[in-house]
């Protein structure tokens, strides 16, 4: 079965598991061989169990079956983070959640593969099941993994920036609140799908619905034990990702292995049920927030504790833990700050990055607490925020640099547009307005694998007919990155975006881009594209200047022509300019790359949070609520986003409205929750709503009118001044809804999603004279490590922890990117 499916008229090749060519057969020998094969995965019905035996005999003999794989064939672990290489393509010894893949069948048809799965017999030895973070905090003899901090605690973070105890002593008021943010999933319309095959020269090519082809490439090379140079990953245009396709996945590696072993193309398309169990979505997070405030509303300090339910594997979880506390300081001036975070393993599908990655949960808590502070101190919530905004050029308490901030203008836009000052608190009973703000990265400042190489590269090829081809590893996932690439190149060369041919998301043809995550692509790819295009323009300008007997400085590119600024009637077509440059310099090809500036923080943990720059958003939501039934609806949303500079206003507005849509879903209804059948029947943890029919998300009927304001103040670090827009606009929506509900009916819902039953419980408490609130009532005791003490900039700090030696230059050693 190792004969590869050949091309008519050419011999086919035999390859071993590592892709090495063993020999050739004629195509005539393969005339009876069908083409593409199909793969299905057998998934564990147990949430936590040892795999005692797997009998695949009957499956191997089933009709159409070409190959059966188990964990023995792929023993090497993988993971997206170097510190969490804890997954296997197929579980070799232990299944850790319902849905963990334990075997694979490859057959001529998808139906044959599915039928053969039923013939595989697996013997399981059940292990204790960890259902919640509270259970995960307890000592255990059977941890889900053996590499965590202790037991089922995956990660503990403890960072203190200044003396928060003293900050609370200086405060006139202390506000202590608990919040809970339920987990939810990405819900892309397109399921995960992968096609792996061997190219005519025996190299492996993998087409996959992925946001991170570069990191998938690394995982394939690691697990399959073949040279990265013999692998090519092509990221197909995604039908939505939202972070759910940023991990390398089991199914991608399995079909690649199957293609190597069979020599045939092998395809897998996950069912919607499987996508729900793959997950990698929003972490459920319990938050404890303590803030000191002066009587005039000035913040003196904050302590934040977070407890994350990470599910069964590491995924991006270490970064997620840091992100639940990293960005609290870049919106409002916070002199002293103490953050502690804990991520636990549980026997549920692994959580990871969803739009906003780790930051919506603490942003919800912070913005709702600010509303409580404003109400207590009788200060307008808009004014409370306006009086203590971070300023451009500031270094925050945790050593994050803020190059630009347009949040003041954002707040003013939505306040004016909504009639906030005339309407808040004055609407009829049951109607209310709520305000919230947010900030987000324009790309992570450090790569997943730390090194000094660029984060994004762009290569241009100019042909004699005037064609321009741009090559870049960036992945189009529906956010419009292909247009941004074309627009940046076209702007520099005086062309139209349609004039630029694009080759993107291909690790075999294009320079590395680290992937579509952390809202990084516009800024990083855009800057690389401008650098490459500028080099090409300079070559053309020099050649044209010589031909037109003009100065290089006077050469302009516009409307597909190259002209002399002082003699505009003297010009030539762009294609002629390329010919002139090629005649002078040879083939015209240029490259550009981008590496973010080094962040000032030097302490352990400082790698999460830095960004070349940050975007800002402000939103006001109007709701209408029924205090009898608890039902409510969002009437209208006003949202302003600090975009820096729009490259494509239509795409920008689409991203803002998409963020509002997703934010409303998380605020009102979305939740990835699990149920446990009666113990006498099963110890499984089953998804409560693993389908589009059952999982509640916003429909057009619930989507309100949205008024979008774009604040354009170009940031010098962005391409033509642009900043991110893909994730930031989601963040203020959830707290704005909660704050609007309080304005409407006077109850606080401190647990998302906000549902009628929670509202009724809060209304009942209000009627009984108790605190009109629904939310968590305790944060568990956690044995935190001693905090790293990092003095803020204004207390003489240098970005290092106390007692930390000056850092030495890192040695990268090999291809670590």
């Amino acid at each position: 079965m190792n004969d590869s499916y050949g091309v008519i008229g050419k011999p086919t090749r035999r390859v071993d598991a590592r892709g090495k060519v063993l020999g050739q057969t004629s195509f005539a020998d393969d005339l009876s061989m069908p083409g593409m094969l199909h793969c299905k995965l057998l998934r564990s019905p147990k949430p936590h169990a040892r795999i005692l035996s797997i009998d695949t005999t009957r499956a191997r003999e089933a009709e159409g079956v070409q190959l059966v794989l188990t964990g023995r064939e792929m023993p090497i672990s993988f993971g997206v983070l170097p510190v969490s290489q804890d997954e296997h393509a197929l579980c070799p010894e232990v299944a850790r959640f319902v849905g963990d893949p334990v075997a694979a069948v490859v057959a001529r048809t998808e139906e044959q593969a599915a039928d053969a799965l039923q013939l595989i017999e697996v013997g399981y030895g059940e292990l204790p099941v960890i259902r919640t973070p509270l259970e995960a905090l307890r000592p255990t003899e059977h941890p889900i993994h053996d590499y965590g901090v202790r037991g089922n605690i995956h990660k503990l973070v403890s960072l203190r920036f200044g003396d928060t105890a003293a900050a609370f002593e200086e405060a006139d008021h202390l506000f202590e609140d608990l919040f809970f943010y339920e987990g939810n999933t990405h819900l892309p319309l397109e399921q995960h799908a992968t096609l792996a095959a061997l190219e005519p020269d025996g190299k492996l090519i993998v087409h996959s619905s992925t946001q991170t082809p570069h990191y998938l490439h690394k995982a394939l090379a690691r697990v399959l034990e073949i040279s990265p140079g013999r692998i090519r990953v092509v990221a197909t245009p995604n039908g939505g990702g939202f972070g759910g396709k940023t991990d390398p996945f089991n199914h991608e590696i399995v079909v690649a292995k199957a293609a190597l072993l069979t020599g045939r193309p092998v395809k897998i398309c996950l069912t919607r049920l499987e996508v729900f169990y793959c997950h990698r979505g929003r972490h459920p997070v319990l938050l404890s927030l303590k803030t000191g405030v002066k009587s005039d509303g000035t913040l003196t300090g904050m302590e934040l504790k977070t407890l994350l339910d990470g599910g069964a594997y590491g995924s991006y979880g270490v970064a997620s833990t840091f992100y639940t506390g990293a960005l609290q300081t870049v919106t409002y001036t916070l002199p002293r700050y103490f953050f502690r975070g804990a991520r636990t393993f549980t026997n549920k599908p692994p959580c990871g990055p969803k739009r906003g990655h780790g930051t919506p949960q603490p942003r919800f808590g912070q913005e709702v607490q600010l509303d409580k502070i404003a109400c207590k101190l009788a200060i307008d919530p808009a004014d409370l925020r306006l009086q203590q905004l971070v300023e451009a050029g500031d270094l925050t308490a945790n050593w994050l640099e803020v190059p630009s901030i347009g949040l003041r203008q954002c707040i003013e836009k939505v306040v004016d547009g909504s009639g906030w000052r005339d309407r808040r608190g004055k609407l009829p009973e049951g109607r209310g307005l709520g305000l919230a703000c947010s900030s987000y990265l324009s790309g992570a400042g450090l790569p997943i694998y730390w090194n000094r190489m660029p984060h994004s590269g762009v290569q241009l090829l100019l042909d004699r007919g005037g064609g321009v081809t741009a090559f870049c590893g960036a992945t189009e996932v529906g956010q419009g990155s292909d247009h941004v690439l074309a627009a940046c190149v076209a702007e520099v060369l005086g062309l139209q975006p349609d004039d630029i041919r694009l080759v993107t998301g291909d690790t075999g043809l294009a320079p590395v881009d680290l992937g579509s995550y952390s809202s990084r692509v516009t800024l990083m790819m855009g800057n690389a594209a401008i650098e490459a295009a500028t080099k090409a323009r300079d070559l053309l300008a020099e050649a044209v200047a010589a031909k037109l007997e003009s100065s290089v400085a006077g050469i302009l590119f516009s409307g597909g022509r190259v002209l002399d600024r002082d003699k505009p009637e003297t010009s030539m077509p762009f294609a002629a300019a390329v010919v002139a440059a090629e005649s002078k310099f040879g083939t015209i090809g240029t490259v550009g790359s981008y590496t973010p500036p080094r962040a000032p923080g030097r302490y352990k943990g400082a790698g999460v949070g830095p960004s070349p720059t940050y975007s800002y958003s402000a939103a006001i939501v109007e709701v209408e609520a029924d205090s009898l039934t608890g039902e409510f609806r969002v009437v209208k949303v006003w949202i302003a986003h600090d975009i820096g500079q729009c490259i494509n206003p239509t795409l920008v507005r689409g991203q803002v409205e998409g963020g509002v849509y997703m934010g409303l879903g998380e605020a009102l209804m979305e939740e990835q929750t699990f149920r446990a059948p009666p113990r006498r029947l099963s110890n499984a943890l089953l998804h409560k709503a693993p389908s589009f029919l059952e999982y509640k998300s916003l429909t057009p009927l619930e989507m309100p009118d949205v008024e979008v304001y774009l604040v354009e103040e170009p940031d010098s670090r962005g391409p033509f001044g642009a900043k991110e827009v893909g994730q930031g606009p989601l963040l203020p929506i959830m707290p704005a809804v909660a704050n609007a509900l309080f304005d409407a009916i006077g109850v606080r819902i401190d647990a998302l999603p906000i549902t009628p039953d929670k509202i009724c419980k809060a209304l009942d408490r209000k009627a009984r004279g108790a605190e009109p609130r629904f939310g968590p009532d305790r944060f568990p005791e956690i044995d935190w490590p001693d905090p790293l003490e990092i003095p803020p900039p204004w207390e003489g700090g240098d970005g290092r922890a106390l007692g930390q030696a000056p850092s030495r230059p890192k040695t990268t050693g090999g291809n670590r990117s």
Side-chain angles (χ1 to χ4, degrees):
M1 294 307 303
N2 284 336
D3 290 346
S4 65
Y5 184 61
V7 180
I8 293 178
K10 294 185 178 180
T12 59
R13 301 166 184 246
R14 291 174 56 81
V15 298
D16 65 11
R18 300 193 180 193
K20 180 180 178 182
V21 177
L22 300 177
Q24 294 183 337
T25 61
S26 69
F27 182 76
D29 295 332
D30 286 332
L31 284 177
S32 62
M33 184 182 294
M36 184 170 68
L37 301 176
H38 297 265
C39 179
K40 297 292 286 185
L41 300 179
L42 180 67
R43 297 180 180 273
S44 170
K46 308 292 184 182
H48 196 198
R50 294 195 185 282
I51 300 171
L52 304 178
S53 63
I54 301 182
D55 186 348
T56 63
T57 305
R58 294 169 61 211
R60 293 178 190 276
E61 296 170 352
E63 180 183 0
V65 171
Q66 309 294 297
L67 181 69
V68 179
L69 293 170
T70 66
R72 288 194 302 268
E73 283 85 8
M74 290 169 284
I76 297 174
S77 64
F78 70 95
V80 70
L81 299 186
V83 296
S84 301
Q85 302 282 307
D86 58 1
E87 299 188 58
H88 288 85
L90 299 169
C91 300
E93 297 176 351
V94 178
R96 293 178 170 88
F97 68 98
V98 171
D100 223 355
V102 298
V105 171
V106 177
R108 290 193 179 97
T109 70
E110 192 172 17
E111 293 77 13
Q112 289 172 336
D115 289 343
L117 288 183
Q118 309 308 313
L119 303 177
I120 298 175
E121 298 177 8
V122 184
Y124 292 102
E126 295 190 10
L127 294 169
V129 178
I130 304 300
R131 292 174 168 80
T132 67
L134 293 181
E135 292 180 10
L137 293 174
R138 299 170 191 157
T140 179
E141 294 181 1
H142 300 282
I144 297 171
H145 293 282
D146 59 7
Y147 74 92
V149 176
R150 59 178 176 269
N152 287 308
I153 299 176
H154 178 205
K155 182 66 179 176
L156 289 173
V157 177
S158 186
L159 303 170
R160 183 155 52 198
F161 306 91
D163 188 345
T164 47
F168 294 151
E169 287 290 329
E170 297 168 9
D172 299 314
H173 305 272
L174 288 179
F175 290 81
E176 297 185 64
D177 291 285
L178 294 173
F179 300 94
F180 179 68
Y181 199 115
E182 185 58 87
N184 49 68
T185 199
H186 313 86
L187 219 65
L189 288 178
E190 179 202 40
Q191 296 135 252
H192 297 252
T194 303
L195 172 64
L198 296 181
E199 297 188 283
D201 60 1
K203 293 187 178 73
L204 175 67
I205 181 169
V206 177
H207 291 81
S208 193
S209 177
T210 177
Q211 296 176 237
T212 54
H214 174 65
Y215 292 122
L216 173 56
H217 192 130
K218 292 178 75 70
L220 289 167
R222 173 185 169 90
V223 177
L224 302 178
E225 297 183 277
I226 59 178
S227 166
R230 297 190 64 81
I231 300 173
R232 177 183 171 196
V233 175
V234 180
T236 57
N238 282 200
F242 313 114
K245 298 172 182 175
T246 56
D247 281 79
F249 281 96
N250 316 75
H251 64 273
E252 295 170 311
I253 298 171
V254 168
V255 295
K257 180 71 170 181
L260 288 171
L261 291 176
T262 63
R264 311 257 288 279
V266 182
K267 177 185 176 181
I268 189 169
C269 181
L270 301 190
T271 65
R272 182 61 59 184
L273 177 65
E274 287 179 300
V275 174
F276 272 96
Y277 279 97
C278 278
H279 193 37
R280 314 305 163 116
R282 186 88 70 218
H283 285 74
V285 178
L286 178 67
L287 304 104
S288 170
L289 197 59
K290 181 179 180 180
T291 304
V293 188
K294 294 281 193 182
S295 293
D296 64 359
T298 301
L299 306 179
T300 64
M302 177 187 290
E303 288 188 1
L304 170 64
K305 293 184 289 188
T306 63
L307 176 60
L308 292 76
D309 184 342
Y313 289 101
S315 183
Y316 285 83
V318 170
S320 307
T321 308
F322 280 103
Y323 273 129
T324 60
L327 299 189
Q328 303 312 103
T329 61
V330 298
T331 312
Y332 314 108
T333 300
L334 200 57
R336 295 160 188 165
Y337 178 51
F338 188 6
F339 167 60
R340 285 171 287 185
R343 184 181 192 261
T344 60
F345 288 122
T346 58
N347 292 118
K348 291 181 280 192
C351 298
K354 186 189 175 188
R355 202 174 195 170
H357 190 190
T359 65
Q361 299 97 321
R363 179 58 55 182
F364 172 72
Q366 186 176 18
E367 292 295 321
V368 172
Q369 189 184 66
L370 281 173
D371 200 67
K372 295 180 181 183
I373 292 170
C375 292
K376 174 74 173 179
L377 302 183
I379 301 173
D380 187 300
D383 292 334
L384 179 69
R385 290 165 170 84
L386 287 168
Q387 75 185 40
Q388 50 202 331
L389 296 179
V390 169
E391 296 184 0
D394 278 358
L395 266 182
T396 68
N398 57 339
W399 292 87
L400 300 180
E401 185 179 4
V402 179
S404 68
I405 175 171
L407 184 53
R408 181 174 300 278
Q409 297 91 315
C410 288
I411 295 173
E412 291 169 349
K413 290 279 188 185
V414 296
V415 165
D416 292 344
S418 65
W420 168 268
R421 298 195 186 278
D422 296 326
R423 300 174 65 226
R424 175 187 165 268
K426 303 170 186 175
L427 295 173
E429 175 70 19
R431 295 202 51 131
L433 295 172
L435 167 69
C437 302
S438 69
S439 56
Y440 197 66
L441 313 164
S442 290
L446 288 171
I448 290 173
Y449 288 77
W450 286 21
N451 59 76
R452 293 189 177 88
M453 289 184 282
H455 293 210
S456 186
V458 172
Q459 185 174 8
L460 297 184
L461 174 66
L462 280 63
D463 65 55
R464 298 173 186 180
V468 178
T469 303
F471 301 84
C472 181
T475 309
E476 174 61 68
V477 294
Q479 84 282 39
S481 63
D482 278 0
H483 183 272
V484 170
L485 174 58
C488 287
V489 173
E491 180 71 17
V492 174
L493 297 179
L495 303 172
Q496 292 297 314
D498 287 351
D499 296 330
I500 312 301
R501 183 180 293 109
L502 303 177
V503 178
T504 57
D506 189 325
T507 66
L509 298 180
V512 167
D513 178 272
L514 297 183
S516 290
Y517 64 91
S518 294
S519 282
R520 54 174 301 284
V521 177
T522 290
L523 189 139
M524 299 192 184
M525 177 197 70
N527 278 324
I530 290 171
E531 181 179 287
T534 300
K535 290 178 180 178
R537 183 192 64 191
D538 291 347
L539 291 172
L540 268 61
E542 185 176 340
V544 170
K547 224 168 178 42
L548 298 181
E549 299 181 347
S550 305
S551 69
V552 173
I555 298 299
L556 301 179
F557 293 73
S558 179
R561 300 188 69 82
V562 184
L563 59 147
D564 186 334
R565 180 175 54 198
D566 298 324
K567 297 179 289 182
E569 70 282 357
T570 306
S571 67
M572 64 174 65
F574 183 81
V578 175
V579 170
E582 187 169 343
S583 300
K584 184 176 180 66
F585 301 110
T587 301
I588 304 300
T590 59
V591 295
S593 59
Y594 178 78
T595 302
R598 189 180 183 191
R602 298 289 183 271
Y603 56 90
K604 185 177 181 180
V608 177
S611 177
T613 189
Y614 300 89
S615 73
Y616 293 86
S617 303
I620 288 176
V621 169
E622 182 173 350
V623 302
E624 182 179 49
D626 186 331
S627 57
L628 213 56
T629 65
E631 294 183 348
F632 75 105
R633 69 184 184 95
V634 176
V635 177
K636 186 167 182 177
V637 176
W638 295 263
I639 184 166
H641 183 68
D642 167 23
I643 184 63
Q645 175 68 53
C646 285
I647 291 178
N648 183 320
T650 301
L651 290 177
V652 168
R653 288 180 179 275
Q655 287 291 315
V656 173
E657 291 173 2
V660 171
Y661 166 84
M662 187 169 281
L664 289 174
E666 297 192 21
L668 304 180
M669 59 190 70
E670 291 194 39
E671 49 185 348
Q672 171 120 337
T673 52
F674 297 82
R675 60 184 175 86
R679 295 286 180 108
R680 59 186 173 80
L681 298 177
S682 170
N683 70 346
L685 279 172
L686 303 176
H687 200 299
K688 282 185 176 180
S691 74
F692 269 6
L693 179 64
E694 300 162 293
Y695 184 91
K696 289 182 172 59
S697 65
L698 217 63
T699 73
L701 291 176
E702 292 89 31
M703 186 66 182
D705 289 338
V706 180
E707 190 78 32
V708 176
Y709 306 94
L710 300 179
V711 172
E712 294 188 270
E713 288 203 352
D715 188 298
S716 61
R717 292 185 176 182
F720 305 115
K723 298 201 277 190
E724 79 85 35
V725 68
Q727 304 187 62
L730 173 145
L731 273 69
I733 299 302
M734 296 76 72
V737 170
N739 293 339
L741 192 65
F742 177 78
D743 188 46
I745 55 176
V747 296
R748 293 285 183 188
I749 309 300
D750 292 342
L752 289 181
I754 301 171
T755 52
D757 61 310
K758 296 175 183 175
I759 294 173
C760 285
K761 289 174 182 176
L763 287 168
D764 181 62
R765 289 176 59 84
K766 181 181 179 183
R768 291 187 285 109
E771 183 185 10
R773 171 186 179 270
F774 180 92
D777 57 10
R778 64 178 290 267
F779 192 94
E781 291 294 327
I782 296 176
D783 185 11
W784 300 102
D786 291 337
L788 282 182
E789 302 284 356
I790 305 103
W794 43 86
E795 293 183 7
D798 60 359
R800 297 182 176 88
L802 294 178
Q804 176 184 341
S807 57
R808 297 178 179 178
K810 290 182 179 289
T811 57
T812 56
N815 181 25
R816 292 173 54 81
S817 56

